[in-house]
Amino acid sequence: MKGDYQGNHDWERIARRIIHPQAIVLVIGSVDTGKSTFCRFLVEQGLARGLTVGLVDADLGQSQIGPPATIGLKVLSQNPDWNEIEADDLYFVGWISPEGHSLRCVTGVRLMVDTAVRAGVDFVVVDTSGYVKGRGAVTLKQHKIEIIQPRHLVCIQRSGELDEIVAGFDDIHPVKVHRLAPHRASTSKTSDFRRKYRESRVNRYFSETVEACLPFERFRGQRTPYFVGRSANARELEILSDLAETRVLYAEWGHRTLALVTQEVLPDCVQSQLKHRLSLSNLVARPQRYFERRFVGLIDARGKTVSVAIIKAVDFEANCLTLLCKPDTAENTKIVQFGRYKDEQVG
């Protein structure tokens, strides 16, 4: 995890109250309040009591057990090497901030908690991001509380910044709200520090990846307008290129919809003309570079994330994605989930 720490009396007091079998603990707080460190403390205290512990990490940008843009689960029966820890299961969100992605964040946390419970863990700790300010953040955190229904909700706050989030849960059974001040050793981290940490997690995850070719016909797309419809044939591509007055590399037809890939950005006016000319209800046009370096999640036939991958290249003549992914995962991929996050570090 992110550095060494020392517990204090408040942490020990809270731990005595909340660490017991079948408990789910949700920890929330703003940035730089020591949430992740406190979660580590709870995990180690639970292990010391002989419990099997599930750690769910929902901090998308500063993940400690998985790559950025994911929600990870680690099942622990003994103290880990926190510098070497890797997730046992992942949910791919596809972006490094929860803002604008609330539904995926709530879904992913619920699925990872359910996976931990099915795995037979005794005690579940859920870490979260520092996204707590603004209406979207308040709504997201409240929905997480409602859908997880933790036995204990730990709020680490400086001066009441979480009150709007938790006010409605103070007297609601079975949630028990606990308030903590940030550890005195908590320090503010610069945006540069956070970026470098995120890059280190990316490089660590992709240090054991391979380059794999995934043919278009082998998978379907999710969270994208591509790889979900009927591919245009060569003649259709010629006609579309003439209408667009630029080369159309790839196209897919849906029900009164069309998704195009062009060499360069297609002007809005040309898109409007195409939409009208072809009587379409929706048209999407992206340049080829839209795909490159994009994070994607590879999903198998069971619906599980088998790898996070990076699109290294797209060959629209061979109809193939070239991916950087975990070994032996591309061949098992049935769905490719597209994210918004792009990587600039991994070569």
Side-chain angles (χ1 to χ4, degrees):
M1 204 175 280
K2 307 162 195 171
D4 296 327
Y5 70 94
Q6 288 184 337
N8 58 32
H9 293 303
D10 287 337
W11 285 17
E12 293 168 359
R13 172 179 53 82
I14 293 291
R16 287 193 295 269
R17 293 180 179 179
I18 68 179
I19 298 177
H20 54 80
Q22 284 75 59
I24 297 174
V25 178
L26 177 65
V27 181
I28 64 173
S30 187
V31 296
D32 300 325
T33 54
K35 296 184 306 298
S36 296
T37 307
F38 179 68
C39 288
R40 172 179 175 178
F41 173 78
L42 290 181
V43 168
E44 293 179 346
Q45 291 296 306
L47 294 171
R49 288 163 170 77
L51 303 178
T52 301
V53 182
L55 174 61
V56 176
D57 182 358
D59 193 346
L60 303 178
Q62 298 290 290
S63 175
Q64 57 193 327
I65 62 172
T70 66
I71 297 171
L73 165 66
K74 184 67 179 180
V75 176
L76 299 157
S77 57
Q78 59 185 7
N79 279 323
D81 180 343
W82 291 100
N83 293 319
E84 301 294 330
I85 192 169
E86 294 289 348
D88 295 320
D89 209 338
L90 291 171
Y91 178 85
F92 182 71
V93 175
W95 192 235
I96 58 174
S97 170
E99 189 171 6
H101 305 278
S102 294
L103 183 57
R104 293 182 195 174
C105 291
V106 171
T107 300
V109 168
R110 179 71 259 180
L111 289 174
M112 292 298 96
V113 169
D114 287 348
T115 300
V117 171
R118 287 197 301 271
V121 304
D122 304 308
F123 179 59
V124 180
V125 179
V126 182
D127 192 8
T128 58
S129 74
Y131 178 55
V132 298
K133 296 179 180 178
R135 175 48 45 190
V138 170
T139 301
L140 170 60
K141 289 297 191 289
Q142 289 177 337
H143 284 330
K144 281 187 179 180
I145 297 167
E146 290 174 356
I147 199 165
I148 295 172
Q149 295 187 324
R151 181 65 185 88
H152 299 281
L153 174 61
V154 179
C155 305
I156 306 179
Q157 60 183 352
R158 296 182 177 90
S159 57
E161 65 267 23
L162 303 180
D163 288 352
E164 185 179 2
I165 295 173
V166 302
F169 296 96
D170 268 319
D171 300 315
I172 300 297
H173 182 78
V175 179
K176 175 65 176 176
V177 179
H178 308 267
R179 289 175 171 81
L180 273 177
H183 195 289
R184 64 178 181 273
S186 297
T187 57
S188 296
K189 302 177 183 66
T190 65
S191 58
D192 186 59
F193 177 93
R194 294 177 180 279
R195 177 184 58 78
K196 289 180 178 178
Y197 177 81
R198 187 161 54 247
E199 289 172 1
S200 72
R201 294 302 301 177
V202 170
N203 288 327
R204 175 177 175 76
Y205 184 84
F206 287 96
S207 65
E208 298 181 358
T209 54
V210 298
E211 191 172 299
C213 179
L214 184 60
F216 293 175
E217 69 268 15
R218 290 259 309 278
F219 69 92
R220 302 294 279 175
Q222 282 187 354
R223 308 172 185 175
T224 176
Y226 299 98
F227 313 115
V228 294
R230 179 183 70 78
S231 299
N233 59 38
R235 178 56 181 156
E236 289 171 324
L237 291 177
E238 289 180 9
I239 295 171
L240 291 170
S241 296
D242 289 340
L243 292 174
E245 298 181 352
T246 188
R247 186 183 176 197
V248 175
L249 303 173
Y250 179 79
E252 282 187 15
W253 300 97
H255 177 63
R256 296 190 62 206
T257 65
L258 178 63
L260 302 175
V261 180
T262 55
Q263 285 185 320
E264 300 297 333
V265 175
L266 201 63
D268 290 343
C269 60
V270 177
Q271 293 189 45
S272 297
Q273 291 170 5
L274 271 174
K275 185 176 177 180
H276 177 74
R277 180 80 175 268
L278 299 173
S279 300
L280 300 171
S281 60
N282 189 48
L283 181 142
V284 175
R286 298 284 188 269
Q288 185 172 7
R289 60 180 179 272
Y290 162 84
F291 297 91
E292 295 169 357
R293 313 304 300 175
R294 188 171 294 273
F295 265 42
V296 293
L298 306 186
I299 314 300
D300 67 9
R302 301 169 298 163
K304 295 182 69 65
T305 303
V306 293
S307 180
V308 175
I310 295 174
I311 299 177
K312 187 173 182 180
V314 186
D315 188 334
F316 288 109
E317 293 185 357
N319 287 339
C320 180
L321 290 180
T322 300
L323 303 169
L324 293 175
C325 58
K326 293 291 187 183
D328 303 320
T329 55
E331 55 266 39
N332 296 319
T333 297
K334 299 297 183 183
I335 294 171
V336 175
Q337 293 178 336
F338 275 62
R340 289 179 57 195
Y341 183 55
K342 284 196 171 188
D343 172 72
E344 302 296 337
Q345 301 300 316
V346 177

Short mmCIF file of all heavy atoms in Angstrom, two decimals, residues 265-321:
data_model
loop_
_atom_site.label_atom_id
_atom_site.label_comp_id
_atom_site.label_asym_id
_atom_site.label_seq_id
_atom_site.Cartn_x
_atom_site.Cartn_y
_atom_site.Cartn_z
N VAL A 265 -10.67 13.45 -38.29
CA VAL A 265 -11.95 13.85 -37.69
C VAL A 265 -12.91 14.31 -38.78
O VAL A 265 -12.55 15.11 -39.65
CB VAL A 265 -11.73 14.98 -36.66
CG1 VAL A 265 -13.07 15.48 -36.13
CG2 VAL A 265 -10.85 14.50 -35.52
N LEU A 266 -14.13 13.81 -38.73
CA LEU A 266 -15.15 14.17 -39.71
C LEU A 266 -15.90 15.41 -39.20
O LEU A 266 -16.46 15.39 -38.11
CB LEU A 266 -16.12 13.00 -39.90
CG LEU A 266 -16.95 12.97 -41.18
CD1 LEU A 266 -16.05 12.85 -42.40
CD2 LEU A 266 -17.94 11.81 -41.13
N PRO A 267 -15.90 16.51 -39.96
CA PRO A 267 -16.57 17.74 -39.49
C PRO A 267 -18.04 17.50 -39.17
O PRO A 267 -18.71 16.65 -39.77
CB PRO A 267 -16.41 18.69 -40.68
CG PRO A 267 -15.21 18.18 -41.42
CD PRO A 267 -15.25 16.69 -41.27
N ASP A 268 -18.55 18.28 -38.21
CA ASP A 268 -19.94 18.13 -37.79
C ASP A 268 -20.91 18.33 -38.95
O ASP A 268 -21.94 17.65 -39.05
CB ASP A 268 -20.26 19.13 -36.68
CG ASP A 268 -19.57 18.79 -35.37
OD1 ASP A 268 -19.13 17.63 -35.22
OD2 ASP A 268 -19.49 19.68 -34.50
N CYS A 269 -20.59 19.28 -39.82
CA CYS A 269 -21.50 19.55 -40.94
C CYS A 269 -21.59 18.35 -41.88
O CYS A 269 -22.68 18.04 -42.41
CB CYS A 269 -21.05 20.79 -41.70
SG CYS A 269 -19.40 20.69 -42.42
N VAL A 270 -20.47 17.66 -42.09
CA VAL A 270 -20.48 16.47 -42.94
C VAL A 270 -21.26 15.35 -42.26
O VAL A 270 -22.03 14.62 -42.91
CB VAL A 270 -19.05 16.02 -43.26
CG1 VAL A 270 -19.06 14.73 -44.09
CG2 VAL A 270 -18.30 17.11 -44.02
N GLN A 271 -21.10 15.22 -40.96
CA GLN A 271 -21.85 14.21 -40.22
C GLN A 271 -23.35 14.47 -40.33
O GLN A 271 -24.14 13.53 -40.52
CB GLN A 271 -21.41 14.18 -38.76
CG GLN A 271 -19.99 13.71 -38.53
CD GLN A 271 -19.68 13.49 -37.06
OE1 GLN A 271 -20.45 12.91 -36.33
NE2 GLN A 271 -18.51 13.97 -36.63
N SER A 272 -23.75 15.72 -40.21
CA SER A 272 -25.17 16.07 -40.32
C SER A 272 -25.72 15.74 -41.71
O SER A 272 -26.83 15.22 -41.85
CB SER A 272 -25.38 17.55 -40.01
OG SER A 272 -25.01 17.84 -38.69
N GLN A 273 -24.93 16.03 -42.72
CA GLN A 273 -25.36 15.73 -44.09
C GLN A 273 -25.51 14.22 -44.30
O GLN A 273 -26.48 13.77 -44.93
CB GLN A 273 -24.34 16.30 -45.07
CG GLN A 273 -24.32 17.81 -45.13
CD GLN A 273 -23.14 18.35 -45.94
OE1 GLN A 273 -22.38 17.59 -46.53
NE2 GLN A 273 -22.99 19.67 -45.97
N LEU A 274 -24.54 13.46 -43.79
CA LEU A 274 -24.62 12.00 -43.90
C LEU A 274 -25.85 11.46 -43.19
O LEU A 274 -26.56 10.59 -43.71
CB LEU A 274 -23.36 11.36 -43.31
CG LEU A 274 -22.15 11.15 -44.22
CD1 LEU A 274 -20.98 10.64 -43.40
CD2 LEU A 274 -22.49 10.16 -45.33
N LYS A 275 -26.07 11.96 -42.01
CA LYS A 275 -27.22 11.49 -41.22
C LYS A 275 -28.52 11.75 -41.97
O LYS A 275 -29.41 10.88 -42.02
CB LYS A 275 -27.21 12.18 -39.86
CG LYS A 275 -28.27 11.69 -38.90
CD LYS A 275 -28.13 12.38 -37.53
CE LYS A 275 -29.23 11.94 -36.60
NZ LYS A 275 -29.11 12.59 -35.26
N HIS A 276 -28.64 12.93 -42.54
CA HIS A 276 -29.87 13.27 -43.29
C HIS A 276 -29.96 12.45 -44.57
O HIS A 276 -31.03 11.93 -44.90
CB HIS A 276 -29.86 14.77 -43.60
CG HIS A 276 -31.03 15.19 -44.44
ND1 HIS A 276 -32.31 15.30 -43.92
CD2 HIS A 276 -31.12 15.54 -45.77
CE1 HIS A 276 -33.12 15.68 -44.89
NE2 HIS A 276 -32.43 15.83 -46.01
N ARG A 277 -28.85 12.35 -45.29
CA ARG A 277 -28.85 11.65 -46.59
C ARG A 277 -29.23 10.18 -46.42
O ARG A 277 -29.93 9.60 -47.26
CB ARG A 277 -27.45 11.76 -47.20
CG ARG A 277 -27.28 11.08 -48.55
CD ARG A 277 -27.82 11.94 -49.68
NE ARG A 277 -27.55 11.33 -50.97
CZ ARG A 277 -26.48 11.58 -51.71
NH1 ARG A 277 -25.56 12.44 -51.28
NH2 ARG A 277 -26.32 11.01 -52.88
N LEU A 278 -28.78 9.55 -45.33
CA LEU A 278 -29.03 8.12 -45.13
C LEU A 278 -30.21 7.84 -44.21
O LEU A 278 -30.46 6.69 -43.86
CB LEU A 278 -27.76 7.47 -44.55
CG LEU A 278 -26.51 7.56 -45.43
CD1 LEU A 278 -25.29 7.04 -44.69
CD2 LEU A 278 -26.72 6.78 -46.73
N SER A 279 -30.93 8.90 -43.82
CA SER A 279 -32.13 8.77 -42.96
C SER A 279 -31.80 7.99 -41.67
O SER A 279 -32.50 7.04 -41.30
CB SER A 279 -33.26 8.07 -43.73
OG SER A 279 -33.61 8.82 -44.87
N LEU A 280 -30.76 8.43 -41.01
CA LEU A 280 -30.31 7.76 -39.79
C LEU A 280 -30.86 8.45 -38.55
O LEU A 280 -31.02 9.67 -38.51
CB LEU A 280 -28.77 7.77 -39.71
CG LEU A 280 -28.02 7.08 -40.84
CD1 LEU A 280 -26.53 7.37 -40.73
CD2 LEU A 280 -28.28 5.58 -40.82
N SER A 281 -31.14 7.68 -37.52
CA SER A 281 -31.52 8.26 -36.23
C SER A 281 -30.29 8.63 -35.42
O SER A 281 -30.35 9.51 -34.55
CB SER A 281 -32.39 7.28 -35.43
OG SER A 281 -31.68 6.07 -35.18
N ASN A 282 -29.16 7.98 -35.71
CA ASN A 282 -27.93 8.30 -34.98
C ASN A 282 -26.73 7.95 -35.85
O ASN A 282 -26.72 6.92 -36.54
CB ASN A 282 -27.84 7.54 -33.66
CG ASN A 282 -26.69 8.03 -32.80
OD1 ASN A 282 -26.51 9.23 -32.61
ND2 ASN A 282 -25.90 7.11 -32.29
N LEU A 283 -25.71 8.82 -35.80
CA LEU A 283 -24.46 8.57 -36.51
C LEU A 283 -23.31 8.93 -35.59
O LEU A 283 -23.31 9.98 -34.94
CB LEU A 283 -24.38 9.39 -37.81
CG LEU A 283 -23.12 9.18 -38.65
CD1 LEU A 283 -23.45 9.19 -40.14
CD2 LEU A 283 -22.07 10.25 -38.36
N VAL A 284 -22.32 8.03 -35.53
CA VAL A 284 -21.10 8.28 -34.75
C VAL A 284 -19.92 8.16 -35.70
O VAL A 284 -19.84 7.20 -36.48
CB VAL A 284 -20.95 7.25 -33.60
CG1 VAL A 284 -19.62 7.45 -32.89
CG2 VAL A 284 -22.10 7.37 -32.62
N ALA A 285 -19.00 9.12 -35.63
CA ALA A 285 -17.80 9.07 -36.47
C ALA A 285 -16.59 9.39 -35.60
O ALA A 285 -16.57 10.41 -34.90
CB ALA A 285 -17.91 10.06 -37.61
N ARG A 286 -15.61 8.51 -35.63
CA ARG A 286 -14.39 8.70 -34.86
C ARG A 286 -13.17 8.49 -35.77
O ARG A 286 -13.20 7.63 -36.65
CB ARG A 286 -14.31 7.70 -33.70
CG ARG A 286 -15.43 7.82 -32.68
CD ARG A 286 -15.21 9.03 -31.77
NE ARG A 286 -16.17 9.04 -30.69
CZ ARG A 286 -17.35 9.65 -30.74
NH1 ARG A 286 -17.70 10.30 -31.85
NH2 ARG A 286 -18.18 9.61 -29.72
N PRO A 287 -12.10 9.24 -35.53
CA PRO A 287 -10.86 8.97 -36.26
C PRO A 287 -10.20 7.70 -35.73
O PRO A 287 -10.49 7.26 -34.60
CB PRO A 287 -10.00 10.20 -35.97
CG PRO A 287 -10.48 10.67 -34.63
CD PRO A 287 -11.96 10.37 -34.60
N GLN A 288 -9.29 7.14 -36.50
CA GLN A 288 -8.65 5.89 -36.10
C GLN A 288 -7.93 6.02 -34.76
O GLN A 288 -7.91 5.09 -33.97
CB GLN A 288 -7.67 5.44 -37.18
CG GLN A 288 -7.02 4.08 -36.89
CD GLN A 288 -6.22 3.57 -38.06
OE1 GLN A 288 -6.02 4.27 -39.04
NE2 GLN A 288 -5.76 2.34 -37.97
N ARG A 289 -7.37 7.19 -34.49
CA ARG A 289 -6.61 7.35 -33.24
C ARG A 289 -7.50 7.28 -31.99
O ARG A 289 -6.99 7.21 -30.87
CB ARG A 289 -5.85 8.67 -33.25
CG ARG A 289 -6.71 9.92 -33.38
CD ARG A 289 -5.81 11.17 -33.38
NE ARG A 289 -6.56 12.40 -33.53
CZ ARG A 289 -6.87 12.94 -34.69
NH1 ARG A 289 -6.47 12.37 -35.82
NH2 ARG A 289 -7.56 14.07 -34.74
N TYR A 290 -8.81 7.33 -32.18
CA TYR A 290 -9.74 7.16 -31.06
C TYR A 290 -9.46 5.85 -30.31
O TYR A 290 -9.60 5.78 -29.09
CB TYR A 290 -11.17 7.18 -31.59
CG TYR A 290 -12.23 6.60 -30.67
CD1 TYR A 290 -12.80 7.36 -29.67
CD2 TYR A 290 -12.67 5.28 -30.82
CE1 TYR A 290 -13.77 6.84 -28.83
CE2 TYR A 290 -13.63 4.74 -29.99
CZ TYR A 290 -14.18 5.53 -28.99
OH TYR A 290 -15.14 4.99 -28.16
N PHE A 291 -9.05 4.82 -31.02
CA PHE A 291 -8.87 3.50 -30.41
C PHE A 291 -7.51 3.33 -29.75
O PHE A 291 -7.39 2.57 -28.77
CB PHE A 291 -9.03 2.41 -31.48
CG PHE A 291 -10.39 2.35 -32.10
CD1 PHE A 291 -10.70 3.08 -33.23
CD2 PHE A 291 -11.39 1.58 -31.53
CE1 PHE A 291 -11.95 3.04 -33.80
CE2 PHE A 291 -12.65 1.52 -32.08
CZ PHE A 291 -12.94 2.26 -33.22
N GLU A 292 -6.51 3.99 -30.25
CA GLU A 292 -5.14 3.68 -29.86
C GLU A 292 -4.83 4.10 -28.42
O GLU A 292 -5.18 5.19 -28.00
CB GLU A 292 -4.17 4.33 -30.84
CG GLU A 292 -4.30 3.75 -32.25
CD GLU A 292 -3.55 4.54 -33.30
OE1 GLU A 292 -2.99 5.60 -32.93
OE2 GLU A 292 -3.56 4.13 -34.47
N ARG A 293 -4.19 3.21 -27.67
CA ARG A 293 -3.77 3.39 -26.28
C ARG A 293 -4.95 3.40 -25.31
O ARG A 293 -4.77 3.72 -24.13
CB ARG A 293 -2.93 4.66 -26.09
CG ARG A 293 -1.82 4.86 -27.09
CD ARG A 293 -0.88 3.68 -27.14
NE ARG A 293 -0.24 3.42 -25.86
CZ ARG A 293 0.57 2.39 -25.61
NH1 ARG A 293 0.82 1.52 -26.56
NH2 ARG A 293 1.11 2.22 -24.44
N ARG A 294 -6.12 3.05 -25.78
CA ARG A 294 -7.30 3.07 -24.92
C ARG A 294 -7.35 1.84 -24.02
O ARG A 294 -7.09 0.72 -24.45
CB ARG A 294 -8.57 3.14 -25.78
CG ARG A 294 -9.86 3.36 -25.01
CD ARG A 294 -11.01 3.64 -25.96
NE ARG A 294 -10.82 4.89 -26.66
CZ ARG A 294 -11.21 6.08 -26.18
NH1 ARG A 294 -11.81 6.17 -25.02
NH2 ARG A 294 -11.01 7.17 -26.90
N PHE A 295 -7.69 2.05 -22.75
CA PHE A 295 -7.91 0.95 -21.81
C PHE A 295 -9.21 0.25 -22.16
O PHE A 295 -10.23 0.90 -22.41
CB PHE A 295 -8.01 1.48 -20.38
CG PHE A 295 -6.72 1.44 -19.61
CD1 PHE A 295 -5.53 1.81 -20.20
CD2 PHE A 295 -6.70 1.05 -18.28
CE1 PHE A 295 -4.35 1.80 -19.50
CE2 PHE A 295 -5.52 1.03 -17.55
CZ PHE A 295 -4.33 1.41 -18.16
N VAL A 296 -9.18 -1.08 -22.14
CA VAL A 296 -10.39 -1.88 -22.32
C VAL A 296 -10.37 -3.02 -21.31
O VAL A 296 -9.32 -3.42 -20.80
CB VAL A 296 -10.49 -2.46 -23.76
CG1 VAL A 296 -10.70 -1.35 -24.77
CG2 VAL A 296 -9.26 -3.29 -24.10
N GLY A 297 -11.55 -3.54 -21.02
CA GLY A 297 -11.68 -4.72 -20.17
C GLY A 297 -12.04 -5.92 -21.03
O GLY A 297 -12.91 -5.83 -21.89
N LEU A 298 -11.34 -7.03 -20.80
CA LEU A 298 -11.61 -8.27 -21.54
C LEU A 298 -12.48 -9.18 -20.67
O LEU A 298 -12.08 -9.56 -19.57
CB LEU A 298 -10.30 -8.97 -21.92
CG LEU A 298 -9.27 -8.13 -22.68
CD1 LEU A 298 -8.09 -9.00 -23.10
CD2 LEU A 298 -9.89 -7.42 -23.89
N ILE A 299 -13.65 -9.52 -21.19
CA ILE A 299 -14.65 -10.26 -20.43
C ILE A 299 -14.83 -11.64 -21.05
O ILE A 299 -14.96 -11.77 -22.27
CB ILE A 299 -16.01 -9.52 -20.42
CG1 ILE A 299 -15.80 -8.02 -20.11
CG2 ILE A 299 -16.97 -10.17 -19.45
CD1 ILE A 299 -15.17 -7.73 -18.80
N ASP A 300 -14.84 -12.68 -20.21
CA ASP A 300 -14.97 -14.04 -20.72
C ASP A 300 -16.42 -14.49 -20.76
O ASP A 300 -17.35 -13.70 -20.49
CB ASP A 300 -14.10 -15.02 -19.91
CG ASP A 300 -14.58 -15.20 -18.47
OD1 ASP A 300 -15.68 -14.72 -18.12
OD2 ASP A 300 -13.85 -15.84 -17.69
N ALA A 301 -16.65 -15.75 -21.09
CA ALA A 301 -18.01 -16.27 -21.26
C ALA A 301 -18.80 -16.30 -19.95
O ALA A 301 -20.03 -16.38 -19.96
CB ALA A 301 -17.95 -17.68 -21.87
N ARG A 302 -18.10 -16.22 -18.81
CA ARG A 302 -18.78 -16.19 -17.50
C ARG A 302 -19.15 -14.77 -17.09
O ARG A 302 -19.76 -14.57 -16.05
CB ARG A 302 -17.88 -16.79 -16.43
CG ARG A 302 -17.45 -18.23 -16.68
CD ARG A 302 -16.36 -18.62 -15.70
NE ARG A 302 -15.17 -17.78 -15.87
CZ ARG A 302 -14.20 -17.66 -14.98
NH1 ARG A 302 -14.28 -18.32 -13.83
NH2 ARG A 302 -13.15 -16.88 -15.22
N GLY A 303 -18.74 -13.79 -17.91
CA GLY A 303 -19.00 -12.40 -17.57
C GLY A 303 -17.97 -11.81 -16.63
O GLY A 303 -18.20 -10.73 -16.05
N LYS A 304 -16.82 -12.46 -16.47
CA LYS A 304 -15.79 -12.00 -15.56
C LYS A 304 -14.67 -11.28 -16.32
O LYS A 304 -14.34 -11.65 -17.45
CB LYS A 304 -15.19 -13.17 -14.76
CG LYS A 304 -16.19 -13.85 -13.83
CD LYS A 304 -15.53 -14.96 -13.05
CE LYS A 304 -14.54 -14.46 -12.03
NZ LYS A 304 -15.17 -13.65 -10.96
N THR A 305 -14.10 -10.27 -15.67
CA THR A 305 -12.96 -9.55 -16.26
C THR A 305 -11.71 -10.42 -16.14
O THR A 305 -11.23 -10.67 -15.03
CB THR A 305 -12.73 -8.21 -15.55
OG1 THR A 305 -13.92 -7.42 -15.62
CG2 THR A 305 -11.58 -7.45 -16.19
N VAL A 306 -11.21 -10.89 -17.27
CA VAL A 306 -10.02 -11.76 -17.24
C VAL A 306 -8.74 -10.97 -17.40
O VAL A 306 -7.65 -11.45 -17.06
CB VAL A 306 -10.10 -12.85 -18.33
CG1 VAL A 306 -11.22 -13.83 -18.01
CG2 VAL A 306 -10.28 -12.25 -19.72
N SER A 307 -8.84 -9.74 -17.92
CA SER A 307 -7.67 -8.88 -18.04
C SER A 307 -8.11 -7.47 -18.38
O SER A 307 -9.13 -7.27 -19.04
CB SER A 307 -6.72 -9.40 -19.14
OG SER A 307 -5.58 -8.57 -19.27
N VAL A 308 -7.36 -6.52 -17.86
CA VAL A 308 -7.42 -5.17 -18.42
C VAL A 308 -6.39 -5.14 -19.54
O VAL A 308 -5.31 -5.71 -19.42
CB VAL A 308 -7.12 -4.11 -17.35
CG1 VAL A 308 -7.06 -2.72 -17.96
CG2 VAL A 308 -8.19 -4.16 -16.25
N ALA A 309 -6.72 -4.49 -20.63
CA ALA A 309 -5.83 -4.47 -21.79
C ALA A 309 -5.70 -3.05 -22.32
O ALA A 309 -6.49 -2.16 -21.99
CB ALA A 309 -6.36 -5.40 -22.88
N ILE A 310 -4.69 -2.85 -23.13
CA ILE A 310 -4.49 -1.59 -23.85
C ILE A 310 -4.52 -1.89 -25.34
O ILE A 310 -3.85 -2.84 -25.80
CB ILE A 310 -3.15 -0.94 -23.47
CG1 ILE A 310 -3.14 -0.52 -22.00
CG2 ILE A 310 -2.87 0.28 -24.35
CD1 ILE A 310 -1.80 0.00 -21.52
N ILE A 311 -5.30 -1.14 -26.08
CA ILE A 311 -5.31 -1.30 -27.53
C ILE A 311 -4.04 -0.68 -28.08
O ILE A 311 -3.85 0.54 -28.02
CB ILE A 311 -6.55 -0.64 -28.16
CG1 ILE A 311 -7.84 -1.28 -27.63
CG2 ILE A 311 -6.50 -0.78 -29.69
CD1 ILE A 311 -9.10 -0.62 -28.16
N LYS A 312 -3.17 -1.52 -28.61
CA LYS A 312 -1.92 -1.02 -29.18
C LYS A 312 -2.12 -0.55 -30.62
O LYS A 312 -1.51 0.44 -31.05
CB LYS A 312 -0.85 -2.11 -29.13
CG LYS A 312 0.53 -1.63 -29.54
CD LYS A 312 1.59 -2.68 -29.31
CE LYS A 312 2.97 -2.15 -29.67
NZ LYS A 312 4.03 -3.17 -29.45
N ALA A 313 -2.96 -1.24 -31.35
CA ALA A 313 -3.22 -0.87 -32.74
C ALA A 313 -4.52 -1.52 -33.20
O ALA A 313 -4.98 -2.50 -32.61
CB ALA A 313 -2.07 -1.30 -33.65
N VAL A 314 -5.10 -0.96 -34.27
CA VAL A 314 -6.28 -1.55 -34.90
C VAL A 314 -5.99 -1.66 -36.39
O VAL A 314 -5.59 -0.69 -37.03
CB VAL A 314 -7.54 -0.69 -34.69
CG1 VAL A 314 -8.76 -1.42 -35.24
CG2 VAL A 314 -7.73 -0.34 -33.23
N ASP A 315 -6.18 -2.86 -36.93
CA ASP A 315 -5.99 -3.09 -38.36
C ASP A 315 -7.36 -3.31 -38.99
O ASP A 315 -7.97 -4.37 -38.82
CB ASP A 315 -5.09 -4.32 -38.57
CG ASP A 315 -4.70 -4.51 -40.03
OD1 ASP A 315 -5.45 -4.05 -40.91
OD2 ASP A 315 -3.65 -5.13 -40.28
N PHE A 316 -7.85 -2.28 -39.70
CA PHE A 316 -9.19 -2.37 -40.26
C PHE A 316 -9.21 -3.11 -41.60
O PHE A 316 -10.28 -3.32 -42.16
CB PHE A 316 -9.80 -0.97 -40.41
CG PHE A 316 -10.17 -0.35 -39.10
CD1 PHE A 316 -9.45 0.71 -38.59
CD2 PHE A 316 -11.23 -0.85 -38.36
CE1 PHE A 316 -9.79 1.29 -37.37
CE2 PHE A 316 -11.59 -0.29 -37.15
CZ PHE A 316 -10.86 0.78 -36.65
N GLU A 317 -8.05 -3.48 -42.10
CA GLU A 317 -8.01 -4.35 -43.28
C GLU A 317 -8.04 -5.81 -42.86
O GLU A 317 -8.74 -6.63 -43.46
CB GLU A 317 -6.77 -4.05 -44.11
CG GLU A 317 -6.80 -2.67 -44.76
CD GLU A 317 -5.61 -2.44 -45.67
OE1 GLU A 317 -4.73 -3.34 -45.76
OE2 GLU A 317 -5.55 -1.36 -46.30
N ALA A 318 -7.28 -6.13 -41.81
CA ALA A 318 -7.28 -7.50 -41.29
C ALA A 318 -8.39 -7.73 -40.27
O ALA A 318 -8.62 -8.85 -39.83
CB ALA A 318 -5.93 -7.82 -40.64
N ASN A 319 -9.10 -6.64 -39.88
CA ASN A 319 -10.18 -6.72 -38.89
C ASN A 319 -9.69 -7.37 -37.59
O ASN A 319 -10.20 -8.40 -37.16
CB ASN A 319 -11.39 -7.47 -39.45
CG ASN A 319 -12.15 -6.66 -40.47
OD1 ASN A 319 -12.05 -5.43 -40.50
ND2 ASN A 319 -12.90 -7.33 -41.32
N CYS A 320 -8.73 -6.70 -36.97
CA CYS A 320 -8.11 -7.28 -35.77
C CYS A 320 -7.66 -6.17 -34.83
O CYS A 320 -7.13 -5.14 -35.26
CB CYS A 320 -6.92 -8.14 -36.16
SG CYS A 320 -6.07 -8.91 -34.78
N LEU A 321 -7.90 -6.37 -33.52
CA LEU A 321 -7.34 -5.52 -32.48
C LEU A 321 -6.02 -6.12 -32.01
O LEU A 321 -5.96 -7.32 -31.74
CB LEU A 321 -8.27 -5.43 -31.27
CG LEU A 321 -9.59 -4.68 -31.36
CD1 LEU A 321 -10.29 -4.75 -30.02
CD2 LEU A 321 -9.38 -3.24 -31.77
#
